[in-house]
Amino acid sequence: MSTSSPEAVKKLLENMQTDLRSLSMECKKKFPPVKEAAESGIVKIKTIAARNTDILAALKENSSEVVQPFLMGCGTKEPKITQLCLAAIQRLMSHEVVSEAAAGNIINMLWQLMENGLEELKLLQTVLVLLTTNTVVHDEVLSKAIVLCFRLHFTKDNITNNTAAATVRQVVTVVFERMVAEDERFKGIVEQPPSVQGNTNRRSVSTLRPSAKDAYMLFQDLCQLVNADAPYWLVGMTEMTRTFGLELLESVLNDFPGVFLQHQEFSFLLKERVCPLVIKLFSPNIKFRQGSSSAASPAPVEKPYFPICMRLLRVVSVLIKHFYSLLVTECEIFLSLLVKFLDGEKPQWLRAVAVESVHRLCVQPHLLRSFCQSYDMKQHSTKVFRDIVNALGSFIQSLFIVPNAGNPAVVGAPAGGSGSGAQGAAQGGPGTGGVSGILTSQAAFEYRGTWIPLMTVSVQGSAKATYLEMLDKVEPPSIPEGYAMSVAFSALLDLVRGITSMIERELAVEEEAAAEFRETHPEQGWQPQPGAHLVWEEMVSACWCGLLAALSLLLDASTDETATENILKAELTMASLCGRLGLVTPRDAFITAICKASLPPHYALTVLSSNAANLSGKAYSIQGHSVQIISPSSESHQQVVAVGQPLASQPQGTVVLTAKNIQCMRTLLNLAHCHGAVLGTSWQLVLATLQHLVWILGLKPGVGGALKPGRAVEGPSTVLTTAVMTDLPIIANILSRLFESSQYLDDVSLHHLINALCSLSLEAMEMAYGNNKEPSLFAVAKLLETGLVNMDRIEILWRPLTGHLLEKVSSDSLLYNHWLFESPFFFPICSPSLCLAPTCWS
């Protein structure tokens, strides 16, 4: 029922008269003046009801007199009378029949009760009712009401403290909600800003409307109080904690970003007050070094304080998320600080909170793109986006390195003995499980003696923080083993997922527009927007080194199938994206990483070595440390699923394939099958790796070029587990489908595929000739499969294919020719019915 309906008004009048009668009865003996005021109040209400049609408006007009008996009742300080009066005042407020003057009198009376320590919870309730149901309280009266709540927050009673804290938060929200409502009311009304005096970059506060002015004064004073300065507006504040102040600042910035973006007075507060305050409060965290003695420095360094630092990082996250466009320079400083907090010399809790903050950025790809545009693409600017990715990679690598070992952060540097585990675990750093030779069911990363468990810390695409939410903790928490790694790993995957899906979405839109343009303007050439491409290319160029170093290490260290799958997917999507953007070096780098992981450890594969010479031999500098692309660790605890012969010029004994190698091989097949159009010259890498894997698994070509399990010709037989025996027909089938799908490749991509197969076939011939041993017929078999499905464009493949076969036939490699022509799958190649130019054989 509406508070202004006739029934509600009638009920209000009845209740007020009942309240006044009760007050009169209670004060009959002890407080005669209050009794008289109550009785004259009854007469006043009856008169208002009789003489006015709009009773509520009349009550509001006379509210100073109407509330007077109740204010006098509160002045008695008698608990029963005070409670009765406060309830009656709240009833009046909820019907919005309190004028500005009456509200001022009410606040003054509440202040007196607060100073006397009376009815504290009831006072807070009354303030909240007044401010949430009416908009009549402004300026000094409003500030007094807010100070009253703050003062009650710092009493000795826990219940009062907590209630007051909740009330303060609600009141602060109400003040800003009023401003938003005020803006809405004046929407579309263009006001001429007054001329600006002096060199200030803001309008005077006096130009703000009433609710906006209240919000401005409140926010300005929150900054003052957090900075330990005296407030301008909240007069009477006697106490304030920095932690509570930072929480209030954060909630305002997070809940009302529009206020700061639309009003230059508030933008000014952000730039001139909030940002310098945050940088100043971060100072102890920047200077502090874990384990450094203060005696060495002239002045002792203040130790970082968890409650402040964590809240500052929350504020920084909000500033970057909502006000990045307004605070480009300031955000550059914040982001650089964040990167520094990941440093190995910082306390473990600070690193954990910082990596949570970085994760919050990594799930916002459009923000990362802005960083790249504003910083990485500008001359003489910090390469912020690159630094974030590299810092994340460096952070992950540092967790595998023994604390205090003094080693540079080189991926592949020994992680030390088992003694490091206890120390690492105590600091929330890496631990060792002494897991040599033991298969553990828990998801984990294990690299050269360092074992780090993996836990679920986020839902895909969103960052779920633990330590950034610990608003009730005063001491730095102990970090569970593996937590920091798990957050960093999630951040890495979310970053790859975010930027690849964002760029691919935009590329798809561009390709659609291009197709539409060519359809409507067949005579004109399509010109894409160069700006977008430059940003995409810069983003990939800035992050691929750091990503590759971290993902390669994690892939090698992963002992969990799901984690391995996620890493492989990240490498695959990056390879595909680089291919689509025409970035050859990073594309080949990611493909090389997948190829290396598919093969046995230390497998001598010259094609990878030569193609990856610019990768594996090159050290990238991350955070000032030398970081190298990883080579697989020899002490893998993966399940061995196959033992076979290597396809090599020199006998190497036998090699083993693990379940992870087969998983990587499947990713490689997936890459070639789904993204063959963007592989270009890296078809050579992919097919060379597949040829070696097929050989180790003992797969041989049959009729039509399809592969099937065969027998090893020399040395010990190929030994396969039941699991991989079941997989072999599936792998052979996928391989056939891969080359059958070449019919959907464009002419250029098909050419790359044919050239790669011809090149591999030539290598196989030379190897067989040089070693007098069975050659690999993988390349020839797949040339046949590719030729058969691309007969409709024979002119593209005819010349390289026949040229290659004629070269083989005319070569002096009799052994190779024997294998080739004796093979059951070779017949279709020679069949005149399939040959469109049989004269070539004459």
Side-chain angles (χ1 to χ4, degrees), residues 752-771:
H752 280 302
L753 173 59
I754 296 290
N755 281 349
L757 286 169
C758 290
S759 171
L760 278 183
S761 180
L762 202 61
E763 276 178 29
M765 177 180 75
E766 287 165 1
M767 196 185 293
Y769 180 58
N771 294 298

Side-chain angles (χ1 to χ4, degrees), residues 359-518:
H359 190 192
R360 285 186 171 181
L361 299 176
C362 290
V363 296
Q364 301 176 74
H366 292 282
L367 197 57
L368 296 175
R369 189 232 302 269
S370 298
F371 297 163
C372 190
Q373 284 173 301
S374 300
Y375 309 121
D376 296 62
M377 294 179 79
K378 296 274 164 58
Q379 221 175 351
H380 313 302
S381 176
T382 315
K383 306 299 180 201
V384 169
F385 177 56
R386 187 191 64 194
D387 288 351
I388 289 170
V389 179
N390 287 350
L392 203 52
S394 188
F395 177 79
I396 286 169
Q397 291 161 12
S398 74
L399 295 176
F400 286 107
I401 294 166
V402 184
N404 307 326
N407 293 339
V410 179
V411 177
S418 59
S420 67
Q423 184 182 3
Q427 295 186 347
T432 64
V435 291
S436 187
I438 299 168
L439 285 170
T440 173
S441 59
Q442 185 179 356
F445 292 112
E446 195 278 314
Y447 187 74
R448 301 193 178 178
T450 302
W451 184 85
I452 304 173
L454 184 61
M455 50 188 82
T456 305
V457 292
S458 76
V459 182
Q460 182 173 323
S462 70
K464 188 180 78 178
T466 299
Y467 297 101
L468 282 172
E469 301 297 332
M470 287 187 170
L471 296 166
D472 57 333
K473 293 281 187 287
V474 176
E475 289 303 312
S478 59
I479 313 296
E481 190 180 6
Y483 177 76
M485 170 64 86
S486 304
V487 177
F489 179 50
S490 290
L492 208 62
L493 295 181
D494 282 331
L495 183 137
V496 172
R497 200 180 286 123
I499 63 171
T500 52
S501 59
M502 176 183 72
I503 296 172
E504 281 169 357
R505 208 162 38 241
E506 290 169 4
L507 271 168
V509 170
E510 185 185 87
E511 284 163 8
E512 204 176 294
E516 204 173 295
F517 181 85
R518 290 189 192 103

Side-chain angles (χ1 to χ4, degrees), residues 143 146-147 150 217-218 221-222 225 231-237:
S143 80
I146 296 170
V147 171
F150 269 116
M217 297 304 286
L218 172 59
D221 271 5
L222 289 177
L225 291 162
Y232 301 120
W233 187 63
L234 295 172
V235 181
M237 285 285 290

Side-chain angles (χ1 to χ4, degrees), residues 165 175 207 219 223 253 275 284 293 307 326 333 421 431 506 532 582 610 617 631 704 767:
V175 170
T207 61
F219 192 81
C223 296
L253 293 169
C275 293
S293 64
L326 200 66
I333 297 167
E506 290 169 4
S610 57
S631 292
M767 196 185 293

Side-chain angles (χ1 to χ4, degrees), residues 225-271:
L225 291 162
V226 172
N227 201 33
D229 292 327
Y232 301 120
W233 187 63
L234 295 172
V235 181
M237 285 285 290
T238 51
E239 210 175 342
M240 177 67 167
T241 58
R242 193 164 267 171
T243 47
F244 190 47
L246 285 169
E247 284 174 37
L248 292 172
L249 286 179
E250 183 208 340
S251 70
V252 170
L253 293 169
N254 194 46
D255 297 343
F256 302 99
V259 165
F260 294 87
L261 293 169
Q262 290 157 23
H263 294 265
Q264 76 188 89
E265 297 87 350
F266 283 83
S267 304
F268 177 83
L269 278 181
L270 264 190
K271 287 181 87 72

Side-chain angles (χ1 to χ4, degrees), residues 20-62:
L20 288 166
R21 283 193 202 101
S22 302
L23 180 59
S24 173
M25 288 292 290
E26 290 294 334
C27 298
K28 195 172 181 179
K29 290 175 183 171
K30 285 179 77 176
F31 307 103
V34 181
K35 173 186 177 295
E36 286 169 23
E39 286 172 352
S40 62
I42 295 169
V43 175
K44 181 77 179 170
I45 286 167
K46 284 179 177 173
T47 309
I48 289 170
R51 291 184 181 170
N52 295 279
T53 48
D54 190 344
I55 294 168
L56 291 182
L59 279 172
K60 186 170 184 176
E61 198 180 319
N62 294 278

Side-chain angles (χ1 to χ4, degrees), residues 513-572:
E516 204 173 295
F517 181 85
R518 290 189 192 103
E519 208 173 286
T520 50
H521 306 82
E523 70 291 343
Q524 294 178 36
W526 163 260
Q527 292 294 322
Q529 288 183 322
H533 275 264
L534 284 175
V535 179
W536 300 334
E537 287 167 23
E538 181 59 43
M539 283 192 84
V540 174
S541 301
C543 74
W544 76 265
C545 283
L547 283 177
L548 182 61
L551 289 170
S552 301
L553 170 59
L554 290 170
L555 180 58
D556 186 47
S558 172
T559 63
D560 176 63
E561 192 177 332
T562 307
T564 301
E565 195 60 42
N566 286 329
I567 298 162
L568 288 168
K569 191 176 179 184
E571 291 189 337
L572 181 146

